[in-house]
């Protein structure tokens, strides 16, 4: 199987690949539970961009916040613990997926194989940090999405050849006065997409000291492309990715790029939950995904119904007449909620694993993007 694009083919761990960060022996990795005072090294982002800044409708999504600049989140020790779990044999053997959007992803592993990763994202202090940046109180989407790992690796020879080609093209473009996107933008790690979930936190697990590129490209409301620089090891970016088309650009100058993407939804049951399963359905254990999706959505519905019932009983106790219009509006919203849920739960025999269509995109794709999708597929 051709591996010249530098990505790990599905189901294969390359024998000649060495992690940029050498694995730390088990006896040297600190043990114990996730401890915020020890493992969180939070430094607020230098800037947080709003939906308005990106020329997107301000009433889009669940928060006015679009994306943060990279910020320090975890200690080096925490990253080593995460890498040890993510790169374990159990995870690679049981939790690896690929698709036409990205060729190597690890999913649905934390609850069973990565207790440190799981506890990190479930901890109230971690959630408080992400919520503060996002401008809305968030919780993890569901256990299956703790966390999604995107992996790109290449050999030392590939790394050197790419950097040399980049240097030569940059020099040529400068001599000719050519402006535009560098060549590596045509080979994204993850192609144009919107996320299935309202917010994500993208954490870098690789050493990016010598990395060129690796930014996240965002499509604005007027169809322009802006870039947010990639985070360094232990740093993260918060993005309202359900409502913003974006892609992960390829990184040069390093033999690996491993990112951890953790998804979030609003804690408040009365806020919209626009979760779709379009980009995750074909790269998931559908039994686990549908079970967890059903559970949390029904819990939201339960909370809404209980709140409505409390209000109804209070009004009845106070001798007030039922507000028929308000009750019908409530019922209609819950009907829409259930209908949306029903649409997302496609029968397993109708799902083509690894094949993600374009229905998640917000804007029409131009010919060049269509060509890129064919190339990746």
């Amino acid at each position: 199987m051709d591996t010249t694009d530098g990505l790990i083919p599905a189901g294969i761990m390359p024998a000649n690949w060495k992690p940029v960060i050498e694995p730390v022996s088990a006896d040297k990795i600190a043990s114990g539970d996730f401890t915020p005072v020890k493992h969180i090294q939070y430094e607020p982002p230098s800037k947080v961009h709003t939906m308005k800044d990106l020329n997107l409708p301000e009433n889009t999504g669940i928060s006015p916040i679009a994306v943060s600049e990279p910020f320090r989140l975890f200690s080096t020790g925490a990253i080593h613990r995460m890498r040890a779990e993510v790169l374990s044999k159990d995870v690679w053997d049981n939790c690896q997926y690929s698709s036409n959007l990205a060729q190597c992803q690890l999913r649905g592993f934390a609850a069973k194989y990565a207790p440190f990763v799981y506890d990190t994202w479930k901890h109230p202090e971690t959630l408080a940090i992400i919520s503060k940046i996002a401008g809305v109180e968030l919780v993890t989407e569901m256990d299956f999405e703790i966390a999604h790992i995107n992996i790109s690796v290449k050999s030392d020879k590939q790394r050197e050849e790419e950097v040399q080609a980049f240097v030569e093209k940059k020099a040529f473009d400068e001599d000719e006065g050519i402006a535009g996107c560098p060549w590596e933008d045509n080979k994204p790690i993850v192609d144009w997409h919107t996320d299935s979930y309202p917010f994500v936190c993208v954490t870098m697990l690789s050493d990016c000291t010598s990395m060129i590129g690796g930014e996240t490209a965002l499509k604005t409301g007027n169809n322009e492309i802006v870039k947010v620089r990639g985070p360094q090891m232990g740093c993260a970016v918060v993005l309202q990715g359900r409502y913003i088309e974006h892609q992960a650009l390829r990184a040069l100058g390093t033999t690996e790029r491993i990112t951890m993407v953790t998804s979030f939804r609003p804690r408040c049951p009365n806020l919209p939950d626009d979760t779709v399963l379009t980009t995750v359905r074909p790269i998931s254990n559908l039994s686990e995904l549908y079970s967890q999706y059903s559970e949390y959505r029904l819990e939201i519905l339960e909370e809404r119904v209980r709140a409505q019932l409390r209000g109804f009983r209070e009004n009845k106790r106070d001798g007030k007449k039922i507000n028929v219009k308000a009750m019908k509006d409530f019922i209609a919203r819950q009907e829409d909620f259930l209908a949306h849920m029903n649409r997302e739960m496609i029968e397993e025999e109708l799902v083509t694993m690894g094949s993600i269509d374009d229905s998640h995109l917000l804007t029409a794709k131009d010919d060049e993007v269509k060509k890129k999708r064919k190339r990746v597929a």
Side-chain angles (χ1 to χ4, degrees):
M1 182 180 295
D2 181 19
T3 61
T4 55
D5 63 356
L7 295 175
I8 305 175
I12 298 176
M13 172 72 100
N16 61 347
W17 172 61
K18 286 187 175 182
V20 170
I21 305 172
E22 289 295 332
V24 179
S25 60
D27 61 326
K28 292 184 179 180
I29 296 178
S31 59
D33 298 334
F34 172 77
T35 307
V37 69
K38 181 178 180 181
H39 296 120
I40 289 181
Q41 289 187 350
Y42 176 58
E43 298 175 10
S46 60
K47 183 176 176 58
V48 175
H49 305 275
T50 65
M51 301 293 274
K52 183 178 181 180
D53 293 336
L54 298 185
N55 293 308
L56 294 168
E58 294 182 64
N59 61 350
T60 299
I62 60 172
S63 168
I65 301 302
V67 61
S68 74
E69 290 291 331
F71 60 95
R72 169 68 57 185
L73 182 55
F74 297 118
S75 68
T76 300
I79 296 300
H80 280 299
R81 291 284 299 278
M82 292 177 182
R83 285 178 62 95
E85 292 185 341
V86 167
L87 300 179
S88 69
K89 187 176 186 301
D90 282 339
V91 171
W92 279 88
D93 287 350
N94 298 291
C95 306
Q96 189 174 162
Y97 297 87
S98 66
S99 74
N100 53 311
L101 281 182
Q103 287 193 341
C104 184
Q105 301 163 315
L106 304 173
R107 294 174 46 74
F109 59 87
K112 185 174 183 180
Y113 300 117
F116 184 85
V117 170
Y118 184 86
D119 291 345
T120 295
W121 293 110
K122 282 290 192 179
H123 198 281
E125 190 161 333
T126 309
L127 292 172
I129 291 171
I130 305 305
S131 297
K132 182 177 181 180
I133 295 171
V136 60
E137 191 173 7
L138 300 172
V139 294
T140 50
E141 178 71 28
M142 46 185 147
D143 284 357
F144 194 82
E145 297 298 344
I146 306 174
H148 171 112
I149 308 295
N150 288 318
I151 298 181
S152 171
V153 301
K154 62 195 73 170
S155 67
D156 287 331
K157 181 181 179 181
Q158 289 172 324
R159 174 181 60 81
E160 292 167 1
E161 289 175 348
E162 286 184 349
V163 171
Q164 182 62 31
F166 172 80
V167 171
E168 291 174 357
K169 185 177 188 303
K170 183 178 180 182
F172 174 81
D173 288 351
E174 289 176 349
D175 288 343
E176 298 296 321
I178 299 173
C181 294
W183 69 273
E184 69 269 22
D185 286 4
N186 293 324
K187 297 181 180 181
I189 295 172
V190 182
D191 208 349
W192 285 110
H193 66 286
T194 58
D195 295 330
S196 283
Y197 310 116
F199 266 96
V200 295
C201 179
V202 183
T203 306
M204 179 59 70
L205 302 187
S206 295
D207 182 356
C208 305
T209 304
S210 59
M211 186 181 292
I212 302 170
E215 302 98 332
T216 297
L218 309 174
K219 192 171 292 186
T220 68
N222 51 8
N223 219 31
E224 294 179 349
I225 306 300
V226 299
K227 297 178 184 177
V228 175
R229 69 183 167 86
Q232 296 295 307
M233 187 183 77
C235 296
V237 168
V238 170
L239 170 69
Q240 194 168 191
R242 175 72 190 93
Y243 311 97
I244 304 171
E245 287 184 38
H246 55 284
Q247 68 174 183
L249 301 180
R250 188 173 299 277
L252 307 182
T254 182
T255 57
E256 68 162 52
R257 183 181 188 271
I258 303 177
T259 55
M260 175 179 288
V261 183
T262 311
S263 299
F264 300 88
R265 56 182 171 85
R267 178 183 292 276
C268 176
N270 295 321
L271 285 177
D273 176 38
D274 294 329
T275 291
V276 296
L277 303 180
T278 314
T279 59
V280 298
R281 195 187 298 114
I283 52 171
S284 298
N285 178 318
L286 289 179
S287 178
E288 287 189 45
L289 182 72
Y290 286 168
S291 175
Q292 293 179 23
Y293 177 70
S294 298
E295 183 175 10
Y296 95 75
R297 293 277 292 191
L298 291 176
E299 286 175 350
I300 289 176
L301 183 61
E302 180 183 28
E303 290 188 57
R304 291 177 178 178
V305 170
R306 288 187 182 279
Q308 184 74 10
L309 182 58
R310 283 195 300 271
F312 173 78
R313 285 173 172 167
E314 288 174 2
N315 288 339
K316 185 178 179 181
R317 186 173 58 249
D318 294 340
K320 297 179 180 178
K321 292 179 61 176
I322 183 173
N323 186 330
V324 176
K325 184 179 183 304
M327 180 62 77
K328 289 177 68 69
D329 287 345
F330 172 79
I331 293 171
R333 289 195 301 272
Q334 307 327 306
E335 287 177 338
D336 291 342
F337 182 85
L338 287 170
H340 175 92
M341 184 176 172
N342 189 34
R343 288 192 299 270
E344 294 305 315
M345 298 181 66
I346 296 174
E347 291 84 349
E348 293 191 33
E349 61 270 19
L350 300 180
V351 176
T352 303
M353 298 306 291
S355 178
I356 299 173
D357 63 29
D358 294 339
S359 62
H360 57 94
L361 293 171
L362 303 176
T363 59
K365 302 182 68 177
D366 58 30
D367 291 340
E368 181 59 29
V369 175
K370 288 179 181 177
K371 290 178 183 177
K372 287 195 287 181
R373 175 61 53 78
K374 290 178 181 178
R375 174 189 57 74
V376 175

